[in-house]
Every structure is written in structure tokens, then in C-alpha cells.
Amino acid sequence: FQLYGYCYQDSNDIPDTLTTITELGSPLEMIQLLQTSWEDRFRICLSLARLLHYLAHSPLGSVTLLDFRPRQFVIVDGELKVTDLDDASIEESSCTSNSDCFMEFPARNFTLPCSVEGRCQSMNEKRNLYNAYRFFFTYLLPHSAPSSLRPLLDKIVNATGNLNKHGNAKYFLFYPSPSVNSEFTQKCMKSANTKYRRVPEAFIPDENYRCWPSYHHKGCLLSVFDVNEAIEICDSYSQCKAFVLTNQTTWTGRQLVFFKMASNHIMPDPDKITYVKVTD
């Protein structure tokens, strides 16, 4: 969380008080997040993974958030940030045997090894990771994900949920974003049989229909890797008769495309390209 300033106050009424001024974020509403595009949810999970990695390797040591729940986080410019650090702790649990390193959660429990120094190994990191899994990853990652990425996402979710040797934030961060290259798109790409007529510098202002998920609440605005993916999407909607490539992109570099139910009224626009489905 970005810190802009702080003030230390020590008075008779309020001793040892630290007031901080931080950036403004939006409260996290899980139901609203599930209605956003998968790319936006992936971005939130990626920012959470970066946070987990930082907490595990902070200058103070491994930090755990004892009250790790969605209400402790906010969203700033599409990134997830923790806003309440009252329950943060750097103390690793002491132990004399593995049985002392017992972590209990509502769905399952874990027993971690006790180190020769008498500390539960990576308990702070593992506690954060499993809470991230049960509150965020399990809901936000698989839901409406691209089919080409689902095997990788299943592997990530299973690894974090099982706390196995790959179940850490660093493992998550090494996975590529959806637009690093075309490999993921091409894995599930079908050959398009429908022909489209390309109309450069043109836009269809009306003829909208709603689809889910969409970046526009009154129309069907989706992100694509290239024209081939746009054609595949348009072919999958019976009402789609045309689509318009914009010069806007998402945070991963994917191009935003308007899908239209007709092409009766085409207007000039130097920043857009329209593709109209050819009918026999």
C-alpha cells in the first residue's frame, strides 16, 4: 500500500499513536469481482501473488496476516492491496515437534515440520498462501478462464490449496500472462469457416447486444489476441453479424473489440476497423 505520510502522536489521551495517510482504494466486493472479465480477475490474483511473495521475504522477515479476509484489502487501479496491518505478525511459531506446527482451517488442516531451531518451518508464508487460496484464488482464477489456460490454472490452484512444494507465490508469478505470446490462444483456436469483409477506418455506432463478461455494460466489448480470435468469438454468438477493432488494449495488451448484431449503419472512424460477416 502506498504511504504518503504519517504522524506520530504521544499524548496523555492517546499514547503511542501513529496516524498514516495512504492512497485511496475501493472496497473489495467479491460478487462484483466475479462479474468482471477474467483478465481483470487474473490481474488481482497476480497482484496478490506479488504481495504474498513480498510478505514471505520482507525486510522484517516472513510476515503473516492473522486476519486474512477480503475486507482487509482494497483495489487501487486494478491491483489488490492490503489496507489493514493491525494483525500482521513476524513471529514464527515455536515448537518441539511437528505436532506443535498444526494449522487448522475450516476445510482442512496441515502439519508443518519443526526445524532444528525450534520454529515451525514457513508457517507464516503457508498460512498466508492457504488463506489466499480459500478466499481469492479458488473463486477468481478458474471462473470463465480461457480454455487454453485452464490446465495451468488448475495446477496453480491445486498447488496453493495443497501447500505442496510448488505451493508458493514465486511459483505463481512464473506463469505467463494471457498475452505473452499466441501459444495459449492457438491451443484452443478453431478454424473459422465464416468469411468476413474488412472495412478499414470504419465504425458501427449502434447495433449493440449484451454479452458476458463485457467491458461495456450496454454492449458486447471483449478483449482478443488477434483478428482470428475475434472471428471465433463472433462465430460463437448467433446474433453477431460484425465486429469492430478499436485502438484500445487491456492491461495485458489484448485488443478491445465491439461485437455487433448488424452492420446497416457504418460511419467513418480513422481509429477503428470493422469486419462484416459475409452472408450468402
Side-chain angles (χ1 to χ4, degrees), residues 147-149 152 176-189:
S147 58
S148 56
L149 289 177
L152 300 179
S177 68
S179 65
V180 170
N181 54 55
S182 63
E183 177 184 357
F184 303 111
T185 300
Q186 297 303 325
K187 280 182 179 179
C188 65
M189 186 66 67

Coordinates of all heavy atoms in Angstrom, one line a residue, residues 147-149 152 176-189:
S147 N -10.0 -21.4 -22.1 CA -9.8 -22.8 -22.0 C -8.4 -23.3 -22.2 O -8.0 -24.3 -21.6 CB -10.7 -23.5 -23.2 OG -10.3 -22.9 -24.4
S148 N -7.6 -22.5 -22.9 CA -6.2 -22.9 -23.1 C -5.4 -22.7 -21.8 O -4.3 -23.3 -21.7 CB -5.6 -22.0 -24.2 OG -5.7 -20.6 -23.9
L149 N -5.8 -21.9 -20.9 CA -5.1 -21.6 -19.7 C -5.6 -22.5 -18.5 O -4.9 -22.5 -17.5 CB -5.2 -20.2 -19.3 CG -4.4 -19.2 -20.1 CD1 -4.7 -17.8 -19.7 CD2 -2.9 -19.5 -20.1
L152 N -3.2 -25.0 -16.7 CA -2.2 -24.3 -15.9 C -2.8 -23.7 -14.6 O -2.2 -23.8 -13.5 CB -1.5 -23.2 -16.7 CG -0.8 -23.6 -18.0 CD1 -0.2 -22.3 -18.7 CD2 0.3 -24.5 -17.7
P176 N 2.9 -17.3 -17.2 CA 2.8 -16.2 -18.1 C 1.4 -15.6 -18.1 O 0.5 -16.2 -17.8 CB 3.1 -16.8 -19.5 CG 2.7 -18.2 -19.3 CD 3.0 -18.6 -17.9
S177 N 1.3 -14.3 -18.4 CA 0.1 -13.6 -18.5 C -0.6 -14.1 -19.8 O 0.1 -14.7 -20.7 CB 0.2 -12.1 -18.6 OG 0.9 -11.7 -19.7
P178 N -1.9 -13.9 -20.0 CA -2.6 -14.5 -21.2 C -2.1 -14.0 -22.5 O -2.5 -14.5 -23.5 CB -4.1 -14.1 -20.9 CG -4.1 -13.7 -19.5 CD -2.8 -13.3 -19.1
S179 N -1.3 -12.9 -22.6 CA -1.0 -12.4 -23.9 C 0.5 -12.3 -24.1 O 1.0 -11.6 -24.9 CB -1.6 -11.0 -24.0 OG -1.0 -10.1 -23.1
V180 N 1.3 -13.1 -23.3 CA 2.7 -13.1 -23.6 C 3.0 -13.5 -25.0 O 3.9 -13.0 -25.7 CB 3.4 -14.0 -22.6 CG1 4.9 -14.2 -23.0 CG2 3.4 -13.4 -21.2
N181 N 2.4 -14.6 -25.5 CA 2.5 -15.0 -26.9 C 1.2 -15.6 -27.3 O 0.3 -15.8 -26.5 CB 3.7 -15.9 -27.1 CG 3.7 -17.1 -26.1 OD1 2.7 -17.8 -26.1 ND2 4.7 -17.3 -25.3
S182 N 1.2 -16.1 -28.5 CA -0.1 -16.6 -29.1 C -0.3 -18.1 -28.8 O -1.3 -18.6 -29.2 CB -0.1 -16.4 -30.6 OG 1.0 -17.1 -31.2
E183 N 0.6 -18.7 -28.1 CA 0.6 -20.1 -27.9 C -0.8 -20.5 -27.2 O -1.4 -21.5 -27.6 CB 1.7 -20.6 -27.0 CG 1.7 -22.1 -26.7 CD 2.8 -22.5 -25.7 OE1 3.6 -21.6 -25.4 OE2 2.8 -23.6 -25.3
F184 N -1.2 -19.8 -26.2 CA -2.4 -20.2 -25.4 C -3.6 -19.9 -26.2 O -4.5 -20.7 -26.2 CB -2.4 -19.3 -24.1 CG -1.2 -19.5 -23.3 CD1 -0.3 -18.5 -23.1 CD2 -0.9 -20.7 -22.6 CE1 0.8 -18.6 -22.3 CE2 0.2 -20.9 -21.9 CZ 1.1 -19.8 -21.7
T185 N -3.6 -18.9 -27.0 CA -4.7 -18.6 -27.9 C -4.8 -19.7 -29.0 O -5.9 -20.2 -29.3 CB -4.6 -17.2 -28.6 OG1 -4.6 -16.2 -27.6 CG2 -5.8 -17.0 -29.5
Q186 N -3.7 -20.1 -29.6 CA -3.7 -21.0 -30.7 C -4.1 -22.4 -30.2 O -4.6 -23.2 -31.0 CB -2.4 -21.0 -31.4 CG -2.0 -19.7 -32.0 CD -3.0 -19.2 -33.0 OE1 -3.6 -20.0 -33.7 NE2 -3.2 -17.9 -33.0
K187 N -3.9 -22.7 -29.0 CA -4.2 -24.1 -28.5 C -5.7 -24.4 -28.6 O -6.0 -25.6 -28.9 CB -3.8 -24.2 -27.0 CG -2.3 -24.5 -26.8 CD -2.0 -24.6 -25.3 CE -0.5 -24.9 -25.1 NZ -0.2 -25.1 -23.7
C188 N -6.5 -23.4 -28.4 CA -7.9 -23.7 -28.5 C -8.6 -23.0 -29.7 O -9.8 -23.0 -29.8 CB -8.6 -23.2 -27.2 SG -8.5 -21.4 -27.0
M189 N -7.8 -22.5 -30.6 CA -8.4 -21.8 -31.8 C -9.0 -22.8 -32.7 O -8.3 -23.8 -33.1 CB -7.3 -21.0 -32.5 CG -7.8 -20.1 -33.6 SD -8.9 -18.8 -32.9 CE -7.7 -17.9 -32.0

